[in-house]
Amino acid sequence: MSTTEKQTRSWKAERVLDGMGKKLSRQITGSLVACVHCGMCTESCHYVLANPGDPTYAPAYKADKIRRLFKRHHDWTGKVFPWWVKAGSVYTDEELEELKDIVFGRCTNCRRCTFSCPMGVDLATFNRMARGLLVSVGIMPEGVAVVSKDQWETGNQMGVLKEDYLETLEWMEEELQDELDDPTVSIPVDQPDCDVVYSINPREVKYDPRTISDAAKIFHVAREKWTMASEGWDMTNFGLFSGDDALGGSVASRLYEKVNELRGKTLVISECGHGFRSTRCEGPNWAKFDVPFVMESSIFTMLRYIKEGRIKVDKSKNPKPVTYHDSCNFARSCGITEEPRELLHLVCEDVREMYPNRAENYCCTGGGGAMSMSEYTRERLKSGVVKANQLEATGAEVVVTSCHNCVDGLTDVIRHYKLGMEVTQLVNLVANALVIEGKPAHAVVPGLEVEAGSNAQA
Amino acid sequence: MSTAVFEGTRLHGATVRLVRDDITELDVDAFVFYASHDLILGSGHGTAISVRGGPSIQKELKALAPLETGQAAVTGAGNLKAKHIVHAVGPRFREPDLERKLRSTMDETLRCARRVGARSLALPAMGAGYYGIPTALCARVMLQALDDHLRSDDALEEVVISVLDTPQWEAFRAALEALDGGKAR
C-alpha cells in the first residue's frame, strides 16, 4: 500500500490489511480468487432462506466484503482494474465494525455453502481468517472477548475455576455411587498410565454435569481404566471460532501436554463438534504438536464398548421417537455421520431422519460461537426457522445431537418456535440404556415389588 | 495449568523465578493484573480475582477508575493469599508504540509494588495471550524494566513471572537464560 494510504488509515485498518498478507494460505487464496458469482451457494444458507429477498445474506455477497480487500491489496487484478473486480479497501474503525457484523453476525461458519459451490470456495475458512484479523486489533463481539479471555487465562472457555471443577466431579461421583448403590464407583482425577483420559466441555461442569456422570457410568460398567485431568481438561477451543490461531494452539497444547504428563494412551473427547475438530484435526497444526496418543470422539468409544461386548444396552429403555441432528463440525468438517446413527439405532427404539441430513444438514444456529454473541440473537433466531421446520417435520419428541453447542442452539430454536421437543446427547441415551448386571431395573420397595421392564421409560 | 518452576536467576540481589501456575493463587506480597481502562475485573483472571478474592476488590477499584494506558493502581487482595493487587493498564492489540507503552506500564507497575513495600511480586506475561502482545517482545521489555528497577529497589527480594502456556514459558526461559549468561548478578 502507498504511503498516502497508510497516513489516512486507522492503525487498526492498517494492521488488518497487513495481517491478511500473512494469512493467505493456498487454500484461502484459492477460495478468494475462485468465486464466479454463479449463485449456487445462495439457497444453501439458512440466513438466506430465513430472509428471502435480502441479497446481503447471500454467502457470495458476504464473501465479497472480505474478497474486495484481498483483491485491492494482494491480487494483481485489483491493482490493474479495481473497478472491474470490485476491489476495495478499509480506512476507518467504523468500516471494520461493519465487517465484524458480517463475519461474526451473519455467518456461523457452518460450511454448508462450501458443499454447494462448484468452485470449492470455502467461505468458512476465510471468514474465520477475517474474524482473526479483527480480533487481533480488538474488534470483536463482547461475548467473544469474554470467552476468549476466559480460555486464555483460566484454561477453559467458561472461566470455571479449578476448585469448582473438582467439586463438580466429586459431586457427580457421589451421585453415581448413590445411583448404583456402589461406593467403589469413582471419577478418577490425574491417574497416570490410564487407557483413557476423558476430556470435556466446560458447559458440562457449569450447566449439564449429568453428561459427566453418564459418561462415568459407562466407563465404570465397561471396566475402563480411565481418568480425568485436573488441568488441561477443556477440549473446546474458542480459537476455532474467533480465528485466533495462537489461542487455538495454546488451548490444544495444554490438553496434549496433560495427556502426555499422565502417560494416557487415548484421549477421548466428549460429544462436541467443534471440540472434536479443534482437538483432533486443527489443534496439532495450531500447536505445532506431534501428538503421540490416539484421539477419538466418545461416540466411537461408546460404539466400541457395545461392539466389544463391554457394555450391554437395552433400546426399550429409550422408547420415545428421536431424530438426529448432525453437528456442522462433525458432519461437514470431519465427515462423521454414520457412527452416531449406528449408535443411536442400538440404544433407541424409534429413530427418524430429518431432511436434509448428514453433510447437508442445516446449522442449529449456534455454530461459529454464535451462542456467545448476544447482540446477534435476533437474527440468529430468525434464521432458526429453517431448523425449526426440519425438526417439526420429523414428528420426533427428542432431538439427539453430539455437540454441546448444538444442544444450546437447538434448545433456543425449540423454545423460540414452541416445538415442545427435548434435546439430549448420545451419552445420556447410552447411559440410560445400560443393562447393569445384578442391578434391578427399578428400586425395590418391600411390599411394592414391580416386575422389571413393566414400566421402562426414558 | 500445571505447576512448573524454572529457578531463573538472581538479578541485583533479587531472585527471578518463572512458574506456570495460576497467578491469582500465588502466595506473594503482590501480584499484577493486566487491567482494562475502566478497571472492571471482567473475565479470565478477573473472574478468579472477584470470585476468590470477594467483592472488596472491585469496590476499591470503583474509586480508582478510569486509568490511562501506562498507569497502574493498587488495591487489597481480599481473601486471596496475596496482600495487594497491582492493576496495570497496558497496551493492547498491537496498538502503535507498543514497546514504549509496555515499558512505561512496567515501570509504573514496579513503582506501585515499591510503594506498598512488596518483597515478593508476581507478574503475568504482560499483555501476551488475549491482548496479543508478541511473547518475545513482552519477555524482553519486562526483563529490561526489571533489570533497571532492581538496581534501586532493595526491598524487592523475589520476582515471580507466571506464564500461561508453553510458548510463553519458552520465551521467558530463553530471556532469563540470556540474562543469566549475560548480565545476571
Side-chain angles (χ1 to χ4, degrees):
Chain A
M1 77 194 75
S2 72
T3 311
T4 315
E5 281 180 332
K6 276 195 173 180
Q7 285 168 348
T8 56
R9 245 184 215 108
S10 74
W11 68 264
K12 289 182 180 179
E14 196 173 309
R15 299 283 195 280
V16 163
L17 294 173
D18 286 346
M20 181 180 270
K22 296 177 186 124
K23 294 273 187 183
L24 293 174
S25 63
R26 190 165 61 173
Q27 185 189 14
I28 288 174
T29 305
S31 286
L32 285 166
V33 299
C35 180
V36 292
H37 296 93
C38 68
M40 293 285 283
C41 57
T42 307
E43 296 292 313
S44 67
C45 176
H46 59 286
Y47 281 101
V48 173
L49 296 176
N51 295 278
D54 186 346
T56 64
Y57 282 99
Y61 179 90
K62 292 180 277 193
D64 277 352
K65 294 293 177 186
I66 304 165
R67 186 174 284 116
R68 63 196 287 274
L69 307 180
F70 164 77
K71 291 277 185 188
R72 174 65 186 85
H73 296 281
H74 300 286
D75 187 58
W76 67 271
T77 58
K79 288 172 183 163
V80 178
F81 28 73
W83 64 92
W84 189 21
V85 296
K86 295 192 173 69
S89 194
V90 282
Y91 295 89
T92 66
D93 292 354
E94 288 71 30
E95 288 173 304
L96 294 178
E97 289 286 341
E98 284 169 20
L99 186 60
K100 177 196 80 176
D101 288 338
I102 291 170
V103 301
F104 283 101
R106 290 185 163 213
C107 175
T108 59
N109 281 0
C110 79
R111 299 184 88 199
R112 198 166 188 275
C113 58
T114 300
F115 280 62
S116 308
C117 178
M119 305 301 289
V121 171
D122 190 354
L123 168 60
T125 297
F126 65 84
N127 195 63
R128 179 179 178 273
M129 172 197 74
R131 288 181 174 199
L133 292 171
L134 292 172
V135 164
S136 73
V137 294
I139 293 182
M140 64 191 109
E142 179 61 23
V144 172
V146 168
V147 176
S148 299
K149 193 164 185 292
D150 268 338
Q151 199 160 26
W152 266 114
E153 295 178 3
T154 67
N156 69 85
Q157 64 160 282
M158 288 194 177
V160 176
L161 300 180
K162 187 176 182 178
E163 54 271 30
D164 295 333
Y165 165 73
L166 293 175
E167 268 176 31
T168 304
L169 297 189
E170 279 175 32
W171 169 39
M172 287 301 103
E173 184 179 84
E174 286 163 14
E175 292 277 316
L176 200 51
Q177 288 171 350
D178 287 347
E179 184 192 335
L180 299 177
D181 193 20
D182 182 353
T184 67
V185 182
S186 71
I187 297 182
V189 177
D190 285 347
Q191 291 295 311
D193 301 310
C194 284
D195 292 329
V196 164
V197 177
Y198 187 55
S199 59
I200 60 170
N201 184 317
R203 180 184 174 279
E204 299 182 61
V205 184
K206 213 157 180 174
Y207 302 116
D208 196 6
R210 193 173 54 110
T211 55
I212 303 172
S213 59
D214 280 350
K217 189 174 168 183
I218 295 165
F219 288 132
H220 173 74
V221 175
R223 297 179 186 280
E224 185 58 88
K225 189 180 175 190
W226 73 293
T227 190
M228 295 182 75
S230 62
E231 311 267 1
W233 49 267
D234 180 6
M235 52 70 176
T236 70
N237 199 319
F238 216 72
L240 181 71
F241 297 151
S242 71
D244 182 351
D245 290 343
L247 174 60
S250 178
V251 172
S253 67
R254 292 183 220 195
L255 194 60
Y256 303 150
E257 286 166 4
K258 190 65 188 180
V259 179
N260 267 351
E261 183 189 314
L262 294 171
R263 299 186 296 275
K265 292 186 182 66
T266 301
L267 172 63
V268 172
I269 301 155
S270 79
E271 288 174 84
C272 180
H274 102 267
F276 179 80
R277 179 180 163 194
S278 301
T279 304
R280 172 68 181 78
C281 310
E282 314 283 1
N285 295 325
W286 290 331
K288 299 179 179 62
F289 201 101
D290 190 8
V291 179
F293 45 81
V294 175
M295 295 187 276
E296 73 176 14
S297 163
S298 60
I299 300 168
F300 290 74
T301 316
M302 292 186 283
L303 190 57
R304 187 158 49 80
Y305 288 162
I306 295 174
K307 287 181 173 176
E308 290 172 356
R310 292 175 69 175
I311 59 172
K312 290 191 177 73
V313 286
D314 173 4
K315 65 164 74 173
S316 73
K317 292 183 177 183
N318 292 317
K320 289 182 181 175
V322 302
T323 188
Y324 183 71
H325 163 82
D326 291 272
S327 126
C328 301
N329 278 306
F330 266 131
R332 275 190 283 277
S333 292
C334 299
I336 296 173
T337 55
E338 303 314 307
E339 294 82 359
R341 284 178 171 76
E342 192 180 355
L343 185 55
L344 196 58
H345 281 278
L346 288 169
V347 297
C348 291
E349 279 190 327
D350 183 353
V351 182
R352 304 170 183 192
E353 280 293 354
M354 72 173 77
Y355 294 95
N357 54 49
R358 295 175 168 83
E360 290 179 14
N361 193 27
Y362 286 105
C363 178
C364 67
T365 74
M371 298 307 293
S372 67
M373 306 172 202
S374 53
E375 56 267 63
Y376 307 124
T377 298
R378 199 171 158 181
E379 280 172 302
R380 181 176 63 77
L381 285 172
K382 189 179 179 191
S383 77
V385 68
V386 180
K387 188 82 246 170
N389 290 339
Q390 254 194 308
L391 294 173
E392 197 168 29
T394 65
E397 291 177 38
V398 181
V399 192
V400 185
T401 187
S402 282
C403 176
H404 282 276
N405 220 20
C406 295
V407 169
D408 285 338
L410 292 168
T411 303
D412 241 16
V413 167
I414 287 166
R415 192 185 300 124
H416 186 75
Y417 290 97
K418 300 182 175 57
L419 301 180
M421 300 170 85
E422 295 170 34
V423 185
T424 194
Q425 292 193 273
L426 282 164
V427 68
N428 306 125
L429 295 169
V430 172
N432 194 56
L434 278 177
V435 175
I436 303 172
E437 283 170 17
K439 184 177 183 296
H442 300 278
V444 178
V445 181
L448 286 173
E449 286 79 4
V450 178
E451 273 184 46
S454 66
N455 190 30
Q457 179 64 34
Chain B
M1 58 212 85
S2 303
T3 304
V5 178
F6 173 63
E7 280 307 332
T9 185
R10 288 190 66 78
L11 197 60
H12 307 295
T15 302
V16 182
R17 288 194 301 129
L18 180 61
V19 303
R20 190 167 164 185
D21 212 337
D22 184 338
I23 195 168
T24 67
E25 295 235 90
L26 295 179
D27 192 359
V28 287
D29 286 345
F31 72 82
V32 178
F33 174 58
Y34 205 79
S36 55
H37 294 280
D38 59 9
L39 299 185
I40 299 292
L41 287 168
S43 61
H45 284 145
T47 303
I49 291 170
S50 54
V51 171
R52 291 177 179 145
S56 65
I57 303 164
Q58 187 66 73
K59 206 177 282 180
E60 271 191 74
L61 285 168
K62 263 187 188 169
L64 301 167
L67 294 184
E68 297 296 319
T69 299
Q71 292 184 312
V74 183
T75 66
N79 303 321
L80 295 167
K81 289 176 192 163
K83 295 186 187 76
H84 307 280
I85 303 173
V86 181
H87 304 262
V89 180
R92 53 200 61 209
F93 300 121
R94 302 181 180 199
E95 65 180 74
D97 211 5
L98 199 61
E99 188 163 341
R100 186 193 60 76
K101 289 175 182 169
L102 183 60
R103 174 61 197 249
S104 63
T105 307
M106 264 301 287
D107 290 342
E108 183 58 20
T109 297
L110 293 167
R111 277 194 287 273
C112 283
R114 190 204 300 252
R115 213 156 43 234
V116 295
R119 288 189 302 169
S120 55
L121 173 70
L123 295 148
M126 305 271 281
Y130 170 68
Y131 290 113
I133 292 182
T135 313
L137 180 145
C138 171
R140 177 167 52 79
V141 172
M142 280 179 66
L143 290 182
Q144 277 171 357
L146 270 174
D147 190 13
D148 291 344
H149 177 84
L150 287 169
R151 288 170 204 273
S152 60
D153 187 344
D154 295 332
L156 192 54
E157 295 168 2
E158 183 186 30
V159 177
V160 181
I161 297 167
S162 180
V163 299
L164 298 171
D165 59 16
T166 300
Q168 290 185 7
W169 175 273
E170 296 299 336
F172 275 90
R173 184 173 175 149
L176 278 169
E177 282 174 345
L179 200 64
D180 204 24
K183 54 181 181 173
R185 45 241 174 227

